[in-house]
Amino acid sequence: MPLNRGGFLFFPGEDITCMGSVGSALGVAVLMMIAVSTIPSIFLYKRYQTGQRYRQIRGTAVETPDTVTPGETLFIRGTVTAGNGTDSVTGPVSRTETALAAWVIREWYTSDNYWMPKARGIEAGDIHLSGSAGRVKLPNRFECAQTELGTRIAGVGAPNIEGVETDDTVVETSEFDTDTEIPPEKSTPSRLATLEQRVGLDPSTKGWSLPFGRDSGTRNYREVTVDTGDTVTVYGRVDAGARPGAAPTVSPPKGDALLVSTLPPDDLVRRYRWSYWRGFYGLLGVILLFGVFAGTLVYI
């Protein structure tokens, strides 16, 4: 016969303690997963954004400047040419003349063993992407800003993606052309100090450091350039020229950023797919393992 205990029916021989332990373990596991996910939630959101970009670019048609159709959002692969044959910008980190320069300033934090992005920018003059007969115009870009706190913590872009990201433009690359580190005890070169002043970045200060390790407060200045004659991939929306006979223009697609890369389209799709899967599902897996581990300890 079942026994009534506190309003619940139990059958003789049933292990009430065991049932309580299982319930407690499940409760602790859930609470642990909630607690652990609170801090990395911003990382999950960044990886989710990477997934959104991956879903947008996968299966996107690849065209040349000769075959684009206004009104479409697609990949365009072509050769960079200056708009009037002489237009260029000066890379603020390398001080070289180029068609496009994208840069980022990072600072080393020994306590977290982490490079925190502090500022970034993209500069591009009047340039075009050309094919054998046609061409499309890329938008002029003169953007620079300090990195917001949330983006500083989660990083800019995905973990295995090399590049620079602003509000409406992303420049992806396989490596940076210029990569310079300046410890906090050394004076900052004038060109880099000028760049920091331009974005309102305070000088770095030396913090806690490990022996034989990189000093906390070390600044890292990275820049990637695109020169006239380089072959690049652009992902964006193609619009008709402003006047008859004018080249079509490329602008950021709806709900996403304009993507400029030295990588072929297939490589970009694979890169974003792997970054999304590893970053999003990998972090979810870690959170789940923490919960299972805590629940198991309570049960035991």
Side-chain angles (χ1 to χ4, degrees):
M1 293 290 292
L3 304 177
N4 190 315
R5 297 183 181 179
F8 294 92
L9 294 179
F10 298 94
F11 290 88
E14 187 173 9
D15 192 341
I16 302 174
T17 303
C18 180
M19 292 182 62
S21 298
V22 172
S24 298
L26 288 174
V28 169
V30 172
L31 289 175
M32 180 59 71
M33 285 188 288
I34 294 174
V36 171
S37 63
T38 300
I39 296 175
S41 59
I42 191 169
F43 291 87
L44 282 173
Y45 179 66
K46 288 293 292 182
R47 301 294 83 80
Y48 171 74
Q49 287 181 312
T50 303
Q52 283 186 310
R53 185 167 295 155
Y54 161 63
R55 285 186 288 271
Q56 283 187 292
I57 66 177
R58 67 180 179 183
T60 300
V62 181
E63 302 287 350
T64 70
D66 305 315
T67 60
V68 297
T69 301
E72 293 184 346
T73 297
L74 38 74
F75 279 120
I76 311 169
R77 186 80 170 158
T79 303
V80 173
T81 56
N84 58 15
T86 59
D87 194 56
S88 64
V89 297
T90 301
V93 176
S94 64
R95 303 306 298 172
T96 58
E97 295 297 314
T98 185
L100 180 150
W103 54 269
V104 60
I105 301 174
R106 308 186 301 172
E107 187 168 323
W108 180 256
Y109 286 77
T110 302
S111 57
D112 301 315
N113 198 38
Y114 176 67
W115 282 113
M116 182 175 286
K118 304 289 283 188
R120 76 272 195 213
I122 297 174
E123 301 180 16
D126 185 20
I127 58 177
H128 291 76
L129 205 61
S130 299
S132 59
R135 63 177 186 166
V136 294
K137 185 183 185 307
L138 302 185
N140 295 45
R141 284 288 181 265
F142 290 93
E143 304 173 89
C144 65
Q146 291 191 39
T147 307
E148 300 83 2
L149 179 60
T151 307
R152 287 185 186 182
I153 296 174
V156 178
N160 69 322
I161 291 180
E162 294 282 8
V164 177
E165 180 176 357
T166 60
D167 291 339
D168 59 4
T169 307
V170 180
V171 176
E172 293 282 1
T173 182
S174 56
E175 61 181 357
F176 284 86
D177 303 306
T178 305
D179 196 331
T180 303
E181 289 186 24
I182 308 293
E185 64 271 14
K186 291 188 176 181
S187 60
T188 304
S190 59
R191 72 183 190 283
L192 301 179
T194 299
L195 178 60
E196 290 180 342
Q197 292 170 4
R198 198 169 87 190
V199 295
L201 202 59
D202 294 329
S204 65
T205 56
K206 186 174 181 179
W208 175 77
S209 302
L210 291 171
F212 311 110
R214 182 184 284 114
D215 289 338
S216 187
T218 296
R219 288 267 170 93
N220 177 223
Y221 306 84
R222 313 175 89 191
E223 183 182 86
V224 58
T225 58
V226 175
D227 298 322
T228 299
D230 287 349
T231 299
V232 299
T233 300
V234 174
Y235 170 75
R237 186 185 73 246
V238 180
D239 300 310
R243 61 184 184 279
T249 60
V250 183
S251 57
K254 184 178 180 181
D256 201 0
L258 180 73
L259 180 60
V260 181
S261 178
T262 56
L263 300 172
D266 289 345
D267 290 354
L268 281 170
V269 173
R270 283 192 294 268
R271 172 182 275 197
Y272 274 97
R273 179 177 61 219
W274 170 239
S275 176
Y276 169 56
W277 286 356
R278 188 182 74 168
F280 188 78
Y281 293 112
L283 189 53
L284 282 180
V286 170
I287 294 172
L288 179 61
L289 285 175
F290 266 104
V292 172
F293 178 72
T296 302
L297 288 180
V298 171
Y299 179 76
I300 294 174

